[in-house]
Amino acid sequence: MKKILSIVLLFALVAMLISCGNTNNDKNDKVDSPDTTAANENADTTEKEEESNEAFVCKLSGGYEIVIGEALPDLGDYIDCSEAPSCIHEGMDRVYTYDGYSVTTSPDGKGNDNVSEVSILSDSVLMNDTITIGVSKDTVVSALGEDYTEAFGVMTYEVMNATVSVILDDASNVMSFVVALAQ
Amino acid sequence: MDNTNINEIEEVTEESSEVAEASENEATVTAVAEKIVDELNDDPETDEDLNEEKQIDEDTAAEERSSEDISNDATTDETTSRNNSVTWWVKALFVIALTLLVVSASLLSFIMVVSRDMAFELGSKKEFKRIEDSAVISKVCKVVNDNIDTYKLGTYNVNLRFFGFINQKMKVNVVDTKAPEVELYNLRVPMGTRLDAEMFVKKINDLTETEVYFKNKAPKTDKTGNQEIKLCVSDSSGNETLKIAKLAILGDTYSFVLEYGDDEYLNKIRGKYPDVTDNELSPIKIDEVGQYTVEFIRNDTYNVFNVFVNDTVPPEATVKSLVVRTGEVVEAKDLVVSVTDKSEVDISFKDEPDITTPGVYDVLLVFRDEYNNVAEVASKLAVCCIPTELVLEHGFTKYELNSKIFENIGAQTGILSLSTEFESIIVGDNTLTLAGDLGSLDLKLTVTDHKAPELVLKELRSYVGVEVAAKDFVRSCIDASSVEFSFVSIPSVNATGSFPVSIIAKDASGNSTEKQTYLHISKDTLPPVIYGVKNITVRSGGTVSYKNGVYAIDGVWGDVEVNVDSSKVNLNEQGSYAVVYSATDKSGNTATVTAYVTVTGVSYNTVYSMADQVLGSIVNNAMSDRDKAWAIYSWVTANFRYSTRTSYLMGNFVEGAYSGFTIRSGNCYIYYAVTSALLTRAGIENIEIQRNDPSNPHYWNLVKIDGSWYHLDTCPHFAGHKMTAFLLTDAQVKAYSQNEVAGYYSFDESKYPDTP
């Protein structure tokens, strides 16, 4: 009887040892190694950074391309240039007025002045081949899509790193068209 | 007599009684053995008997032991009773031998009796009653190997084991001695029905194959009447059951004759047999001519009636007349429009018409179905001498065409005429239709064209750079088919002057004509004309559409793009500015028109009107001042975007508010101005407050709510230092200036009312 009991206890002990070993192995299988986890996180972060790095490009008639969030390109002679302090960041904003549009630059905190806003002022200039003052709402939707919000006569698009605000008049024609760096 | 002698006598007496006792024991043993044998022959033994035997055996064993004891005791007296001992031993041995013999014989008999042959009835339960019902036998005898299938006839060998070591075979026969259990139907059938003994059978219960047959001859059904029929059912073991059933033979009223394809046949049958089910009527195929037997069972009676499906309806046909050419192959079905019949129909001419001789013939068409039902329908057949195709050179008249088509029609004139529009005939292949009262024929007409186009050209005047086409030189061209024009050599349009040009006109049949004319090229000196230009008035800070309604057209080049030079216009400053419209054609001629853009100021009325429009959507009279202020604060912060583009409007309340309402963006001053206009129009007292740093100004509002002044700032704050600046106290704005953005709300307190 004693022998039988001893054998039974021995088997139980061996079974416990085996199950602990398997549990440990399972845990090892479920948990990523620190290197792998970090690599995955970096990959996710990189993807997000890549998405936010896409910038809205304003292509104006005359062949000018202005990239929101980047330095002001050479657009020729401006009609007017003014400077004013900002209420939402340190430093001065500059407003350059050209024939039919204006460009505002803002300091980025790293010593650079980057384009923070492009406004269409008249239909003497076209943006992205179709958009200007006076075109219909349908023209805007055809160019920018259906993914916008609308309130109090203002259509707002969030496109890449920019916010596009389109103000319509009573006839649903474009009265104001502004592309600004997303705040 | 002394004691010793008495003792000896006593001992001898004891010995004698012991021997006598032994002898009695022997006799008892023998009797017992005999009894056992008898009991085996009588079979059932009770446990009581068994126990008694056991007790006897034990007694016998005890007695034997006591006999041994006695014999042991007897040795001590050997000297005195030697003669008596020898006799006793012989007797004892004899008894033992005899006993053994009897026991063996008894045992053998016992085994033989138990293992004699047994019989089981087929399908019965497997029970070895002989063994199981006896307490004694069931103790000593076990069935070891039992492979009997009581549902299968045959002889089986069973192994029995006695006393645990003696094996004995036993035969078991499975037999069938039971006759089949039979239930019969009574039958009701129409005359002429072929009877089968199986038709009477309702149910047979037997474990073997059974056969049913008429005990006497099979009954006849050629006369109506009732009979009693004897039927015998026997099984494969030879057991028989005899039963009697009733047979009623019915007349013709129990047969149905239906028309092939009759959709109402089921209702007709049910009219006589209302409870007959669809399943029972399923043998009837109304779309197949034939005889069907319907069988159904009601109240233990098997009923049969016949159904005959016949087709007696001839086909129905619609025919037409036909016109054919002489010698053409004509089939009867060519004159058939439609045929209706439940079966296949064969169509033929009663008499074959003569297709070789032109004429109009009366023909009879015969329609015969699969069951020989016939219909005859009359029609007409016209045989004409008409060609199948013609080839004519373009330029023929209608009369000439008809003459050609009907030149051999002879006596059949009037049967057909040309129904195709003559004007629709073209050079090339045409299909003409010749129609009449009796029918129509098609005719292929090929129209050829061997005549070149008749071409007349004109001289053309054009301008340098304007491309010209060959057809531009064509005044007229007459041809039977479509004509294409081309240059012999494409003329140059890059220089002024008069140049000869050769034109080729080629028709679809390949006929061509070449002629010459002149191209006169001169320089285009006329500019486009610009339409729709007008002076424009726009408010300061607004936007303007210069091209709305403006277009340019050139006499040579058509539509020309209009360009606008608005470089002199400053929409941020009131004043009048020139705008130059221009349009340039491909010849380089340019038109310009100048208009004026007047940038005007804005009035308070305009701004307040815009504020009222917004307030109409966000506040109502039931709201408190605090609630109205919150609605205004929420609307501005949600619908405005920070921009420094209109910073030049700082200090100009009306222009600033107007710009804000129009383009929904601006710097802190615009936020202040729009908020102030809304608060004022909402009836809430408010004043301007600004930072006391002229190099870095900031504007916001002070509002009076419930008698106290508070700070209200709708302008966004620095990133990372957001705050809901609604009805704040001086302490709160100071705290922001100290803890969040240094000096943000720094102001000259002496100039403004205190907050709570």
Side-chain angles (χ1 to χ4, degrees):
Chain A
M1 185 60 186
K2 284 186 184 174
K3 282 187 184 174
I4 293 170
L5 189 61
S6 301
I7 291 169
V8 169
L9 286 174
L10 181 64
F11 272 118
L13 186 63
V14 171
M16 281 170 59
L17 287 173
I18 291 171
S19 65
C20 284
N22 286 339
T23 302
N24 286 337
N25 288 336
D26 289 343
K27 283 183 183 171
N28 286 338
D29 287 338
K30 286 177 185 173
V31 175
D32 287 335
S33 66
D35 289 341
T36 308
T37 304
N40 287 341
E41 286 177 352
N42 286 339
D44 291 340
T45 305
T46 303
E47 284 179 9
K48 288 177 185 169
E49 286 177 353
E50 284 176 356
E51 285 178 8
S52 62
N53 282 344
E54 284 190 275
F56 190 98
V57 179
C58 303
K59 296 178 184 175
L60 303 180
S61 51
Y64 297 116
E65 286 193 4
I66 306 170
V67 182
I68 300 296
E70 292 188 5
L72 181 69
D74 182 5
L75 302 173
D77 294 334
Y78 51 75
I79 297 172
D80 188 44
C81 177
S82 62
E83 194 176 74
S86 173
C87 299
I88 60 172
H89 57 74
E90 294 289 348
M92 304 288 276
D93 286 352
R94 288 198 183 88
V95 179
Y96 299 86
T97 304
Y98 298 87
D99 183 7
Y101 65 98
S102 70
V103 181
T104 302
T105 63
S106 302
D108 63 358
K110 299 173 189 172
N112 304 314
D113 281 336
N114 294 331
V115 173
S116 58
E117 182 182 297
V118 175
S119 299
I120 304 296
L121 302 179
S122 74
D123 61 358
S124 58
V125 69
L126 272 180
M127 181 181 288
N128 295 14
D129 296 326
T130 54
I131 298 173
T132 189
I133 301 300
V135 298
S136 66
K137 179 181 177 182
D138 290 341
T139 302
V140 174
V141 173
S142 295
L144 298 178
E146 302 268 355
D147 190 14
Y148 64 90
T149 58
E150 186 170 357
F152 291 95
V154 180
M155 299 167 66
T156 305
Y157 288 85
E158 301 293 338
V159 185
M160 287 178 268
N161 67 340
T163 300
V164 178
S165 300
V166 184
I167 300 179
L168 306 170
D169 61 18
D170 292 340
S172 291
N173 293 323
V174 174
M175 193 166 69
S176 166
F177 189 93
V178 178
V179 182
L181 186 67
Q183 293 174 358
Chain B
M1 205 180 288
D2 56 44
N3 288 339
T4 306
N5 287 337
I6 292 171
N7 289 339
E8 283 179 356
I9 292 170
E10 283 177 355
E11 285 174 0
V12 170
T13 306
E14 280 180 14
E15 287 173 10
S16 297
S17 66
E18 284 170 0
V19 168
E21 219 177 319
S23 297
E24 282 178 19
N25 288 341
E26 288 168 16
T28 304
V29 167
T30 305
V32 165
E34 288 174 352
K35 188 180 174 186
I36 288 173
V37 171
D38 290 336
E39 282 182 350
L40 283 172
N41 286 333
D42 293 337
D43 268 351
E45 288 181 353
T46 61
D47 286 340
E48 205 175 297
D49 292 336
L50 188 62
N51 288 338
E52 192 181 297
E53 286 180 11
K54 192 177 173 183
Q55 188 59 45
I56 292 171
D57 288 340
E58 286 175 356
D59 289 342
T60 305
E63 286 169 354
E64 287 178 356
R65 280 199 300 277
S66 67
S67 296
E68 283 180 18
D69 290 338
I70 292 169
S71 66
N72 285 337
D73 290 338
T75 52
T76 56
D77 295 321
E78 96 185 287
T79 51
T80 54
S81 61
R82 185 171 295 148
N83 286 337
N84 290 335
S85 296
V86 171
T87 305
W88 186 88
W89 269 109
V90 169
K91 283 185 185 174
L93 280 171
F94 178 77
V95 168
I96 290 168
L98 186 63
T99 304
L100 286 173
L101 185 66
V102 168
V103 168
S104 299
S106 302
L107 196 60
L108 187 64
S109 301
F110 168 72
I111 290 172
M112 295 308 293
V113 166
V114 171
S115 64
R116 67 181 189 280
D117 291 356
M118 280 181 81
F120 287 155
E121 180 62 32
L122 180 67
S124 67
K125 212 173 149 187
K126 214 174 0 178
E127 288 175 331
F128 294 92
K129 279 184 171 294
R130 183 193 300 165
I131 298 170
E132 289 162 6
D133 289 352
S134 165
V136 173
I137 299 176
S138 63
K139 282 263 186 206
V140 303
C141 176
K142 304 288 178 204
V143 179
V144 176
N145 183 11
D146 162 24
N147 60 350
I148 301 168
D149 182 357
T150 58
Y151 286 89
K152 208 169 167 184
L153 293 170
T155 301
Y156 299 86
N157 284 324
V158 175
N159 289 329
L160 303 177
R161 184 166 291 165
F162 293 87
F163 305 103
F165 66 95
I166 302 173
N167 293 320
Q168 177 65 23
K169 279 194 172 31
M170 178 173 73
K171 273 193 191 159
V172 175
N173 297 311
V174 177
V175 298
D176 175 19
T177 59
K178 274 175 76 174
E181 293 173 5
V182 179
E183 290 179 35
L184 298 179
Y185 289 117
N186 297 320
L187 231 60
R188 285 162 60 85
V189 301
M191 276 200 313
T193 304
R194 255 179 90 176
L195 288 179
D196 190 302
E198 293 280 348
M199 292 169 74
F200 288 88
V201 174
K202 182 178 179 182
K203 188 178 172 185
I204 297 177
N205 201 7
D206 194 277
L207 290 173
T208 62
E209 293 283 325
T210 57
E211 188 189 348
V212 184
Y213 51 92
F214 293 111
K215 183 70 177 173
N216 304 318
K217 284 190 299 186
K220 291 184 181 174
T221 60
D222 53 354
K223 287 183 200 170
T224 59
N226 297 324
Q227 304 174 36
E228 281 192 351
I229 308 296
K230 283 186 189 167
L231 290 121
C232 187
V233 181
S234 63
D235 66 19
S236 59
S237 301
N239 304 303
E240 282 189 354
T241 302
L242 199 64
K243 286 261 183 174
I244 295 175
K246 291 183 183 166
L247 172 65
I249 298 169
L250 311 170
D252 288 342
T253 51
Y254 291 87
S255 291
F256 278 87
V257 177
L258 300 171
E259 182 59 36
Y260 174 76
D262 180 1
D263 293 336
E264 297 294 319
Y265 75 98
L266 287 173
N267 291 336
K268 287 171 185 168
I269 294 172
R270 288 208 185 98
K272 188 160 179 75
Y273 298 102
D275 66 339
V276 173
T277 65
D278 286 351
N279 204 39
E280 288 160 339
L281 293 171
S282 63
I284 304 172
K285 301 280 183 289
I286 202 64
D287 55 350
E288 281 182 29
V289 169
Q291 179 182 344
Y292 302 92
T293 300
V294 175
E295 303 170 359
F296 65 98
I297 298 166
R298 293 293 181 273
N299 300 322
D300 285 339
T301 300
Y302 196 99
N303 301 274
V304 176
F305 65 85
N306 293 323
V307 175
F308 300 92
V309 178
N310 297 334
D311 179 10
T312 60
V313 176
E316 286 181 12
T318 307
V319 300
K320 62 179 181 183
S321 55
L322 191 67
V323 179
V324 296
R325 289 181 170 86
T326 313
E328 199 173 304
V329 174
V330 177
E331 294 182 359
K333 65 178 173 65
D334 294 337
L335 287 90
V336 176
V337 173
S338 67
V339 177
T340 307
D341 193 273
K342 293 281 193 312
S343 61
E344 289 287 320
V345 178
D346 176 72
I347 307 171
S348 60
F349 286 114
K350 184 131 189 201
D351 298 305
E352 286 292 330
D354 180 9
I355 310 298
T356 59
T357 308
V360 177
Y361 301 97
D362 291 322
V363 294
L364 207 58
L365 295 158
V366 178
F367 300 86
R368 186 185 301 275
D369 69 18
E370 281 183 39
Y371 302 101
N372 232 16
N373 301 300
V374 175
E376 291 183 354
V377 184
S379 183
K380 283 190 185 302
L381 180 68
V383 180
C384 300
C385 193
I386 299 285
T388 54
E389 58 183 324
L390 282 176
V391 178
L392 295 175
E393 174 63 22
H394 179 267
F396 54 85
T397 63
K398 187 174 179 179
Y399 174 80
E400 288 168 341
L401 176 62
N402 274 304
S403 297
K404 261 301 185 190
I405 293 170
F406 298 110
E407 65 182 348
N408 294 319
I409 196 70
Q412 282 71 51
T413 300
I415 292 177
L416 294 172
S417 63
L418 179 65
S419 66
T420 303
E421 288 288 330
F422 181 76
E423 289 71 24
S424 67
I425 297 171
I426 58 171
V427 172
D429 292 333
N430 300 268
T431 300
L432 305 183
T433 302
L434 310 173
D437 290 339
L438 296 180
S440 64
L441 287 176
D442 285 342
L443 183 149
K444 183 182 169 189
L445 173 65
T446 302
V447 179
T448 57
D449 174 20
H450 295 95
K451 192 176 170 186
E454 292 177 17
L455 180 63
V456 177
L457 297 179
K458 62 181 179 186
E459 294 183 7
L460 186 67
R461 296 189 183 282
S462 185
Y463 298 92
V464 171
V466 179
E467 297 292 336
V468 293
K471 65 178 175 61
D472 295 339
F473 294 86
V474 176
R475 188 183 299 282
S476 69
C477 183
I478 298 171
D479 195 270
S481 54
S482 61
V483 179
E484 286 185 0
F485 304 99
S486 59
F487 292 112
V488 171
S489 171
I490 297 175
S492 170
V493 295
N494 297 328
T496 58
S498 294
F499 306 96
V501 174
S502 291
I503 305 292
I504 298 173
K506 187 173 180 181
D507 67 20
S509 300
N511 308 301
S512 64
T513 302
E514 182 179 328
K515 288 206 171 172
Q516 190 180 69
T517 183
Y518 282 87
L519 172 63
H520 307 281
I521 297 179
S522 54
K523 193 167 168 31
D524 170 26
T525 57
L526 287 178
V529 177
I530 301 174
Y531 299 92
V533 174
K534 49 187 183 295
N535 294 327
I536 299 170
T537 299
V538 61
R539 291 207 171 93
S540 169
T543 60
V544 62
S545 173
Y546 296 110
K547 293 185 181 177
N548 189 23
V550 176
Y551 60 98
I553 297 179
D554 187 81
V556 174
W557 301 99
D559 289 334
V560 178
E561 185 184 356
V562 176
N563 297 308
V564 176
D565 177 5
S566 59
S567 59
K568 299 290 187 290
V569 177
N570 188 345
L571 294 172
N572 300 334
E573 271 192 36
Q574 294 181 36
S576 184
Y577 305 92
V579 177
V580 179
Y581 293 81
S582 64
T584 303
D585 66 21
K586 290 184 183 176
S587 302
N589 304 302
T590 300
T592 60
V593 176
T594 300
Y596 289 89
V597 174
T598 303
V599 180
T600 64
V602 181
S603 69
Y604 270 95
N605 284 344
T606 303
V607 167
Y608 286 150
S609 174
M610 298 170 94
D612 289 345
Q613 198 171 7
V614 172
L615 289 171
S617 303
I618 63 173
V619 301
N620 59 61
N621 291 333
M623 293 167 81
S624 64
D625 281 352
R626 179 178 289 267
D627 290 341
K628 287 179 187 174
W630 175 249
I632 291 166
Y633 176 88
S634 301
W635 185 84
V636 175
T637 53
N639 290 282
F640 272 67
R641 183 180 51 79
Y642 188 83
S643 171
T644 47
R645 185 172 78 79
T646 51
S647 299
Y648 64 91
L649 294 172
M650 264 187 172
N652 190 332
F653 178 84
V654 174
E655 299 286 343
Y658 175 80
S659 172
F661 278 119
T662 303
I663 63 175
R664 307 282 173 84
S665 65
N667 67 352
C668 59
Y669 186 82
I670 306 301
Y671 274 85
Y672 146 73
V674 168
T675 305
S676 176
L678 289 167
L679 289 166
T680 301
R681 294 303 287 171
I684 300 172
E685 190 176 347
N686 68 93
I687 57 176
E688 172 197 293
I689 177 170
Q690 60 172 297
R691 188 187 292 153
N692 57 354
D693 181 359
S695 65
N696 186 16
H698 182 63
Y699 290 82
W700 66 99
N701 306 80
L702 274 171
V703 298
K704 194 170 183 181
I705 301 291
D706 298 332
S708 298
W709 288 94
Y710 296 93
H711 297 270
L712 187 150
D713 188 356
T714 53
C715 179
H717 294 79
F718 274 41
H721 300 280
K722 302 292 183 187
M723 180 172 70
T724 301
F726 178 74
L727 302 190
L728 300 180
T729 63
D730 288 341
Q732 286 172 314
V733 298
K734 272 183 191 167
Y736 183 87
S737 298
Q738 285 167 3
N739 302 327
E740 297 291 336
V741 180
Y744 195 85
Y745 286 115
S746 171
F747 61 94
D748 185 349
E749 293 179 31
S750 65
K751 290 184 180 177
Y752 303 102
D754 293 332
T755 67

